[in-house]
Amino acid sequence: MMTTDERTAMLRRCLDELWNKGDVDVCDEIFAEHCMFHDPTFPMEGVAGMKSFVQELRAAQPDFHMDVHDVVCAEDMTATRFTCAATARNEFRGLAGTGKTYVMNGMDMSKWEGDRIVEQWTVYDMLGTLQQVGLLPERMGTGHEMPA
């Protein structure tokens, strides 16, 4: 059984190799073969789906970079808070490449069995990202203004 420090170190290293270096083979090290991914915007089928997603994203946004700010470990779960940044250079899964950059915050929760992730839930600010790259209009206020 991995300690929380070992799990945290492994997660940080694998996320860096996967997202920042594009090494999709690291998926086989950290995700169980039957891993399930829950992503609100881009559904993925298993580890092969994750590998394909990362390859497509990095092809469309070669400067993609993820900074992991926090990893919290408790028993068989980890929570990760991250920031991603990139330039939307090329089309990615139906989203046009605009040449504009974005910064996106997100979090994920991962369930572990032994030394592998078996299920992962991810949330991130896709609305803000689409606005930053010019695919949706900027918000016109906070939505909390009092009517005239």
Side-chain angles (χ1 to χ4, degrees):
M1 184 64 123
M2 297 176 82
T3 68
T4 57
D5 287 344
E6 290 170 332
R7 187 170 283 164
T8 298
M10 178 183 184
L11 184 58
R12 283 183 177 277
R13 180 183 57 79
C14 288
L15 291 175
D16 179 57
E17 290 181 25
L18 178 63
W19 294 106
N20 298 332
K21 299 174 184 169
D23 179 5
V24 295
D25 291 335
V26 77
C27 287
D28 298 323
E29 181 181 339
I30 194 163
F31 299 117
E33 185 176 329
H34 62 281
C35 189
M36 293 175 47
F37 298 94
H38 307 280
D39 183 305
T41 308
F42 301 108
M44 290 171 246
E45 290 293 325
V47 177
M50 172 61 85
K51 289 179 179 181
S52 177
F53 179 82
V54 172
Q55 289 171 327
E56 291 173 39
L57 179 64
R58 292 192 51 80
Q61 303 170 6
D63 61 344
F64 185 90
H65 185 82
M66 174 188 282
D67 288 318
V68 174
H69 304 295
D70 300 299
V71 176
V72 178
C73 258
E75 298 175 18
D76 65 344
M77 301 292 285
T78 54
T80 307
R81 184 176 66 88
F82 58 85
T83 300
C84 302
T87 306
R89 296 198 192 287
N90 301 305
E91 185 272 337
F92 173 70
R93 295 197 172 188
L95 299 174
T98 62
K100 296 182 178 181
T101 60
Y102 67 89
V103 176
M104 176 179 68
N105 295 307
M107 301 176 88
D108 69 43
M109 179 75 73
S110 299
K111 180 172 179 49
W112 295 71
E113 285 181 6
D115 62 351
R116 299 283 192 280
I117 295 172
V118 295
E119 196 162 6
Q120 186 174 67
W121 300 263
T122 305
V123 294
Y124 44 85
D125 182 15
M126 190 63 173
L127 174 62
T129 299
L130 293 173
Q131 291 171 332
Q132 290 174 64
V133 299
L135 295 176
L136 286 178
E138 291 290 323
R139 290 184 284 177
M140 298 302 296
T142 65
H144 300 289
E145 292 83 12
M146 296 296 291

